[in-house]
Every structure is written in C-alpha cells, then in structure tokens.
Amino acid sequence: MAVMFRPHHKNFTWQDVEKLAYKDAGDAPFKDVTRQVLFSGADLKSELRYFEVAPNGYTTLERHEHVHAVMILRGAGHCLLGSDVRAVKAYDLIAVPPLTWHQLRAGSEEPLGFLCMVDAARDKPQLPDEQDLKALNADPLVAAFLKG
Amino acid sequence: MAVMFRPHHKNFTWQDVEKLAYKDAGDAPFKDVTRQVLFSGADLKSELRYFEVAPNGYTTLERHEHVHAVMILRGAGHCLLGSDVRAVKAYDLIAVPPLTWHQLRAGSEEPLGFLCMVDAARDKPQLPDEQDLKALNADPLVAAFLKG
C-alpha cells in the first residue's frame, strides 16, 4: 500500500506523486501533456490518473477496447468523442466507450486538467491510419476540431 | 455504455446522475451524507463515486478488505485513518488500506465533497464493536476526532 495521506501541494501537484511524460512511445502525436498517477497498485483493479494539457495542447487521437472514465478538474477545452465535439469545463464527466476515437484539446487561456479512471489490465491504444483520418475529417465539425 | 457526456450542473450535481442515500442499511451510523455514482458498469472493473458530507456531518466509521482511493474535491474537514487523524482539503489524496478503520468528518463551515474509487467487486464494510471502539478511544487524538 502506498503512502496513505498525500496532500495536494499547489497547482495540481501532490506529495509523493511524480509528474511523468504523457506517453512512453515517441510515435503517438500529442502536444504539451503531463501525466500523474494518483492511485495504482496490486490492491486496486483500476488506476486513477491526472492529466494536464497546456494551453493549445492536445492528447493523442486514439481508440482502444478499454473504457476511459474522465472528470475534468480544471480549465476548459473541447473533446472529440466518436463524431461528437463538445465544449468541456471543470467537473464535466466523459465516458469513452470501447473503440471510440477521442481526443482532448485545451483552450488557449489555461491548462485543461482531468482525472481518468481505467482498468489496470487494458489493451494498447490504436492510432488512426490514413483511412481513419479521412473518415474523421469528412465531418466538418470534426475536421475543425482536429485542425485545432 | 452510459451517456457519454454528462455536464456538471452546479454545486456538484451532474446531468443524469442521481443523488442517492449514502447507505441502504439503517444500522450504520452516519450523518448528512449523500452519494452520487459517477462511473459504474460492466465495462469497468471499478466505480467512481462522489460523496458529500454536510457541515458537521460524518461518514460511517468502518473498515473492509477492499481499498478506498479518495480525492477530496471541495471543502475541508478531518479524516481518521487507523490511528491517524489528518486535516484534509480540496485535492488531497487518501488511500485507505485493507481493514483500516476510517471516517471523514466535514468542518462546520462548508460541505466536504470527495471522490472515492473502489473495485466493483468488493466486501461489505464492517462496523466497530464495543471492543474496537474502546481500542480506538484509547488514543486521545482519535477519541477527540470521534467525539466530533
């Protein structure tokens, strides 16, 4: 069991929680995202992570079998979910169903921070190929979102 | 899969999220606590719930095999964890290890709201018997906490 009390310091950093690179692989496109693992361990079937996207940054456009359970914690931005584009703000809830393309983009003013709960045992994200991108960009709203 | 986007309304209520009684059983002592299940379903191994304790309210003093992964979201109060009593505030993290007595108490000024992630499959909470309460109250700091 990890340390039991970990106070919030400031600006969404915590005692004994390391700020990590968002992705290990260098080939998944994203911009200005950090990752902090808040809860993870053998005694939990899931993990709770905090991600923060700097102004104008974005997470990787991806899909996977496992589900993402997201709560926005700070800032504002937009989220792509399948062919839906929505404005998101603090405390909004987003459920990403299996194999649904998704991406979060911060606005230009402030960082977009969010919690994401996932099963500890999960499949690897898939990236869109040229055909997937063509299909996504066929929708003008989605195309505008992806353009940023 | 549940509704994908559920905006935060105000004051920690959400679209399509019902405010529930904290406990089903009438025999577990607690005071002024509500429960909202934010994420739960067959496609997730865990649940994310939001609990809110009104000023001067408190959750049930209990323990169980399963682990609680808690993030305070609003307000301030105190938490008992084993024989540790800590002041808690927004965004603090609390990990409740297996079979550890715990209780959260709101301060007198504002509600104490927190997220709690748990495994979907989990054991039932145990309540303290007279001997457990005697052992807990043997520590003056714990006794003062339990007195409120």
Side-chain angles (χ1 to χ4, degrees), chain B residues 18 46 57 63 65 82 85 87 98-99 101 104 106 108 110-111 136 139:
Chain B
E18 204 181 343
S46 296
R63 66 178 186 183
E65 283 285 354
V85 176
L99 294 180
W101 296 113
L104 280 152
S108 57
E110 45 182 343
L136 283 161
D139 183 325

Side-chain angles (χ1 to χ4, degrees), chain B:
Chain B
M1 194 75 195
V3 186
M4 298 196 296
F5 287 100
R6 286 167 299 160
H8 176 246
H9 282 159
K10 60 174 187 174
N11 213 21
F12 296 85
T13 60
W14 290 267
Q15 180 187 301
D16 298 312
V17 177
E18 204 181 343
K19 203 173 265 193
L20 302 165
Y22 168 54
K23 298 270 185 190
D24 291 329
D27 55 354
F30 66 91
K31 184 169 181 281
D32 295 336
V33 188
T34 59
R35 174 171 60 101
Q36 293 177 81
V37 180
L38 305 183
F39 294 103
S40 172
D43 45 15
L44 280 169
K45 293 257 191 306
S46 296
E47 297 179 357
L48 191 66
R49 300 94 44 91
Y50 174 74
F51 295 92
E52 199 167 283
V53 186
N56 296 315
Y58 50 85
T59 62
T60 301
L61 173 63
E62 61 180 37
R63 66 178 186 183
H64 33 67
E65 283 285 354
H66 66 272
V67 166
H68 277 176
V70 170
M71 174 189 272
I72 308 293
L73 268 199
R74 75 179 295 192
H78 285 82
C79 177
L80 171 72
L81 196 45
S83 57
D84 248 9
V85 176
R86 298 280 181 110
V88 292
K89 61 181 191 315
Y91 307 125
D92 284 352
L93 305 174
I94 308 164
V96 182
L99 294 180
T100 304
W101 296 113
H102 58 284
Q103 185 174 55
L104 280 152
R105 285 179 177 265
S108 57
E109 302 290 311
E110 45 182 343
L112 178 67
F114 60 92
L115 296 172
C116 179
M117 181 176 81
V118 282
D119 288 354
R122 59 187 183 273
D123 63 323
K124 286 202 172 172
Q126 305 166 18
L127 299 179
D129 61 20
E130 249 179 78
Q131 213 159 9
D132 296 321
L133 286 173
K134 206 175 154 187
L136 283 161
N137 278 298
D139 183 325
L141 272 177
V142 175
F145 170 90
L146 292 173
K147 217 169 162 186

